Amino acid sequence: MTSRPRLRELADRVGILPSYVAVGGERREASDATRVALLAAMRIDASSEASAAAALARLDRERAERLLPAAVVIRASAAAPSLRVHVPPAASGAVRWRVEVVTEDGDRRVSEGGADPSALEVARAHGGALALEPPAGLPPGWHAAHATLAWTGGEAAADAALVAVPDACLSPAELLGGRRAGGLWANLWSVRGRRSWGAGDLTDLAELARWAGREGLDFVGVNPLHALRAWAGEASPYSPVSRLFRNPLYLDVEAVPELVDSAAARARIASPGHRAALARLRAAPRLDPAAVAELQRPVIERLHEEFARRHRDRPTPRGEAYAAFRAGAGASLDDFATFLALEEALAAGGLGPGRWREWPAALRDARSPQVAAFRRSQPERVDVHRWIQFELDRQLAAAARAGRDAGLGVGLYGDLAIGSAGGGSDAWAFTEVFLEGASVGAPPDDFAPGGQDWGLPPVDPGGLARTGYRYWRELLRSAFAHAGALRIDHVMGLVRQFWIPAGRPGSEGAYVRYPADAMLGILALESRRHRALVIGEDLGTVPEGFRAELGRRGVLSSQVLPFETDPSGEFRPSRSWSAHALATANTHDLPPLEGFWEGRDLVLRRDAGQIAPGDAFRDAALRRWREREALARRLAEEGCIPAAGALPPDGAWPDLAAAVHAFLAKTPAPLVGAALDDLAGETDPVNLPGVGPDRHPSWTRRMRRPLAELQADRAVARTLTGLDALRRRRGAGP
């Protein structure tokens, strides 16, 4: 019998799961040491049974003192939705209750009633909650609720956000009228645009959208555009400074309207030094984020000066648009811009990027008077970062508009990373939500026997609820802005996440439960408000019933060709695929089709030390040969190639890409995405998972050929014929 019953009760109370089923099917138990460490990360002392008991008592006391949580999420369609209020200990006898709701539109609605003494006793016997009826017919939205309980000799009242949510996210049938859709997806930084400065930019995204529209496709997907410190060389889109804001790397500097009026900016662009640096970056095979940022910075600063002089705080259309953008983004934009300006100021003292926890104590608090004083003392340094986000938003909106004008039925399809970097602005500005002392990752499996530690701080599920889901709401609104679809990386994180105590291996981690009902409900609300589809990346082992629940909530699954095999290694027939998924040939963690066929990823993994040379490499190559043979058999059986031997052993592009996408188009999947890398015959993956930057420069590989050249290439057009069954105009390509 355990000697730590209070510890385990406390861990269960806050959502630390006692065990999980590993990939091999065995059940792994969370140790008491892991429980203590994860509770400490949640700012709860459970180092002894006495401290655990005290923490439980404190949680009970807080619940007893709180009539309503900060936010209550209800289904708008429920026949009898309930608002559960915690009965105060002092309440006795018969009670009268009243619920007043002010809707988003300012409509005031009231419901009221009473409960006899027996109802109070029943409530106390079942956790102390009394179910009240909110006003009937509340529309979906974020409303304000005020609840009152009155009894003889006393009264209690509380306010809460009341979020009325729809049952499910927007469906492809609702958006597309029942037809299926094909599209492209690309890693935007890798695109070689006509005038980009060493990285694909938002003008290139607009051109991709126009091309997709001309080809009769319906969407263009991109990697997460979250903010990174390009000037510090950061490249991974899945470890951002902030998920609320975007990466200046994607700004098309030459599309900024102030360039027309800024002689200083034009002179800088025309200077020999700038031209030479630009030529080097455009020709480079790999992205150099720091060099791109160095080229951008002096021009951006001059453009911002021109904007401030002509438009800021002035009644010009652009000045008014900036004021509206600032008002819409609110305090989060000020926090983000202030954080970046503080990093710049403190870097001179030796505090490099990502080290805000080493700043002077007063500056670690985004709400401190000292931070406010810094913002007032450096108004231009702060404002330039606000303005960059304003211009990024304008250019992204223009790309979305280009797609709509070109006929895209879905439009742009964005990507939401699972977390933000601990040294970034989100963690600094939302300290009540982001935790220290643990990181998010994945448990041990065959691919990573020691588990995976992604180095991302966990978001506190209790903190999300206590703050009324403000961060989740802002995150979704940012992610859905200008998008017709959104992919959520590791969507299982809405239900549970694997936390690893700091300094411990992945084998000592445990899963932590999240308020999935509330988070999925809010996701559905924002999906419908933005008229956008949601795709959940649900690859790998997930809890039983999880995919079915996603389906009920209108979240599409992800199906990726290499993972759709039976136990014998044969690829599953197209008819067996899901009718509720996005189907693709690969992901950013897998090699392009041509690289898969040639085994290029195996060579890179060998060179990076992931596969040992000699027998291990030969075994991997043999497995790949068998996978190729199995794929060829499936393509032949489906009529996508004439025979299993029709594809050459090397250099199978473009026939391989056309055949694979013809197979995907035969599945019942409502959405089928083709990677731009596959259309172009790229071979190298953009990422080698589990390999550090010292061994392989992931997230920097650029495309070998310019976008304009790809659009004119008949071989590339032939790869698109695989999607003919999904194109709005049959045979749209040459």
Side-chain angles (χ1 to χ4, degrees):
M1 190 173 192
T2 178
S3 60
R4 299 294 316 266
R6 291 299 190 188
L7 167 66
R8 296 192 171 196
E9 182 183 355
L10 177 61
D12 289 344
R13 179 84 66 87
V14 300
I16 299 173
L17 301 184
S19 64
Y20 67 92
V21 178
V23 171
E26 74 276 15
R27 182 165 291 278
R28 296 190 177 181
E29 303 289 332
S31 69
D32 285 348
T34 293
R35 289 182 173 92
V36 170
L38 296 185
L39 285 163
M42 295 179 180
R43 307 180 183 107
I44 300 173
D45 177 17
S47 56
S48 67
E49 277 296 273
S51 59
L56 280 167
R58 185 175 65 254
L59 292 176
D60 288 338
R61 194 164 54 249
E62 289 172 353
R63 184 175 61 180
E65 294 170 352
R66 188 178 59 240
L67 195 67
L68 284 174
V72 179
V73 178
I74 64 171
R75 296 281 186 97
S77 65
S82 64
L83 188 66
R84 296 178 65 81
V85 300
H86 194 86
V87 178
S92 62
V95 300
R96 294 292 302 172
W97 58 265
R98 186 175 190 272
V99 178
E100 181 178 330
V101 175
V102 179
T103 69
E104 285 183 326
D105 297 332
D107 187 18
R108 191 175 300 272
R109 304 186 186 188
V110 175
S111 63
E112 51 192 344
D116 59 29
S118 64
L120 287 190
E121 294 308 314
V122 170
R124 288 199 170 101
H126 294 83
L130 185 66
L132 311 186
E133 297 176 12
L138 288 174
W142 292 80
H143 313 309
H146 180 77
T148 304
L149 284 183
W151 59 92
T152 302
E155 182 177 289
D159 295 312
L162 181 59
V163 194
V165 301
D167 292 332
C169 299
L170 187 74
S171 71
E174 290 173 291
L175 184 65
L176 297 168
R179 66 182 176 85
R180 299 165 64 223
L184 308 177
W185 65 271
N187 299 291
L188 184 55
W189 80 83
S190 72
V191 175
R192 291 183 183 270
R194 179 171 52 86
R195 65 184 194 193
S196 51
W197 289 15
D201 58 33
L202 293 171
T203 294
D204 298 326
L205 179 56
E207 182 53 35
L208 270 174
R210 283 189 284 267
W211 180 28
R214 289 195 300 271
E215 294 294 340
L217 301 176
D218 278 301
F219 63 85
V220 170
V222 289
N223 55 280
L225 304 183
H226 306 320
L228 302 175
R229 298 180 187 86
W231 57 270
E234 293 179 348
S236 171
Y238 292 96
S239 185
V241 174
S242 173
R243 290 185 289 168
L244 297 175
F245 299 100
R246 301 186 177 92
N247 191 348
L249 187 82
Y250 298 118
L251 188 70
D252 180 355
V253 178
E254 294 183 48
V256 176
E258 282 70 44
L259 186 61
V260 173
D261 298 311
S262 176
R266 293 197 307 275
R268 179 80 187 195
I269 292 172
S271 68
H274 180 98
R275 287 176 174 273
L278 181 57
R280 286 193 300 272
L281 289 174
R282 283 177 171 167
R286 291 198 171 272
L287 168 70
D288 185 343
V292 174
E294 183 180 357
L295 196 66
Q296 286 181 328
R297 182 185 294 266
V299 181
I300 285 175
E301 288 177 346
R302 286 159 175 77
L303 293 173
H304 174 253
E305 290 169 1
E306 193 69 28
F307 169 82
R309 187 162 46 247
R310 290 177 176 270
H311 302 291
R312 192 178 63 196
D313 301 323
R314 294 177 180 271
T316 66
R318 191 146 161 84
E320 290 174 348
Y322 181 58
F325 176 77
R326 283 193 60 181
S332 293
L333 177 61
D334 290 339
D335 290 341
F336 172 74
T338 302
F339 176 85
L340 294 183
L342 274 166
E343 275 203 327
E344 292 170 348
L346 295 172
L351 289 175
R355 295 171 60 186
W356 66 264
R357 290 186 174 87
E358 300 174 41
W359 291 356
L363 297 182
R364 293 178 223 152
D365 179 2
R367 302 288 162 261
S368 73
Q370 290 85 349
V371 168
F374 173 83
R375 187 181 291 132
R376 290 191 300 270
S377 70
Q378 300 291 330
E380 297 307 315
R381 291 312 313 156
V382 172
D383 192 61
V384 70
H385 294 296
R386 288 195 201 99
W387 174 80
I388 288 170
Q389 292 303 314
F390 163 67
E391 182 58 21
L392 283 166
D393 185 76
R394 187 193 69 82
Q395 292 190 13
L396 182 59
R401 188 165 55 251
R404 289 194 300 272
D405 291 346
L408 299 188
V410 175
L412 301 183
Y413 141 39
D415 198 344
L416 178 62
I418 190 174
S420 303
S425 68
D426 284 0
W428 175 77
F430 292 88
T431 52
E432 68 275 31
V433 170
F434 284 86
L435 299 176
E436 298 181 67
S439 55
V440 177
D445 56 21
D446 293 339
F447 179 74
Q452 298 179 56
D453 187 335
W454 301 330
L456 302 170
V459 168
D460 180 10
L464 278 174
R466 285 191 298 272
T467 55
Y469 300 99
R470 176 195 160 200
Y471 180 72
W472 181 233
R473 176 187 185 182
E474 291 193 21
L475 193 57
L476 290 177
R477 291 190 172 183
S478 172
F480 278 125
H482 315 304
L486 177 66
R487 173 189 179 272
I488 298 182
D489 194 44
H490 295 282
V491 71
M492 189 176 68
L494 302 185
V495 175
R496 68 180 193 180
Q497 292 185 17
F498 193 74
W499 290 18
I500 303 170
R504 310 275 183 86
S507 58
E508 296 185 26
Y511 276 104
V512 175
R513 184 174 58 247
Y514 278 72
D517 189 64
M519 296 181 74
L520 286 167
I522 294 168
L523 175 64
L525 174 63
E526 297 301 329
S527 159
R528 289 188 172 275
R529 292 200 149 179
H530 291 85
R531 295 284 299 168
L533 308 176
V534 179
I535 301 106
E537 189 271 287
D538 56 350
L539 304 174
T541 303
V542 298
E544 186 176 353
F546 175 66
R547 290 191 175 95
E549 177 62 14
L550 286 185
R552 286 190 291 272
R553 298 295 190 129
V555 178
L556 299 177
S557 289
S558 298
Q559 285 195 282
V560 183
L561 183 64
F563 304 135
E564 295 300 320
T565 57
D566 64 24
S568 71
E570 292 298 311
F571 284 85
R572 294 172 50 218
S574 60
R575 66 178 180 276
S576 70
W577 284 47
S578 172
H580 304 283
L582 165 71
T584 61
N586 41 43
T587 73
H588 58 261
D589 286 332
L590 297 171
L593 284 169
E594 185 66 9
F596 164 86
W597 197 257
E598 296 179 7
R600 174 62 178 161
D601 58 311
L602 303 181
V603 173
L604 293 175
R605 290 174 60 199
R606 180 197 62 192
D607 294 348
Q610 261 195 337
I611 301 176
D615 290 346
F617 181 75
R618 283 190 291 273
D619 288 346
L622 179 59
R623 286 194 298 272
R624 178 59 54 82
W625 180 82
R626 289 171 177 159
E627 290 168 344
R628 285 188 355 179
E629 292 294 299
L631 177 58
R633 283 193 296 273
R634 172 52 53 201
L635 294 176
E637 288 173 14
E638 300 272 351
C640 301
I641 56 175
L647 295 172
D650 294 305
W653 180 85
D655 296 325
L656 174 65
V660 164
H661 290 105
F663 168 78
L664 295 177
K666 290 169 69 71
T667 72
L671 302 179
V672 175
L676 185 62
D677 283 348
D678 289 335
L679 303 186
E682 292 288 344
T683 58
D684 283 12
V686 296
N687 179 40
L688 284 186
V691 176
D694 56 324
R695 290 183 291 154
H696 183 79
S698 290
W699 310 114
T700 62
R701 192 269 289 156
R702 301 179 68 204
M703 299 193 73
R704 291 174 294 183
R705 300 164 64 194
L707 181 58
E709 183 180 315
L710 296 179
Q711 293 181 69
D713 188 338
R714 294 183 67 85
V716 172
R718 194 156 81 250
T719 66
L720 277 168
T721 61
L723 294 177
D724 275 353
L726 304 177
R727 294 158 94 176
R728 286 177 283 106
R729 300 181 301 277
R730 286 293 189 101

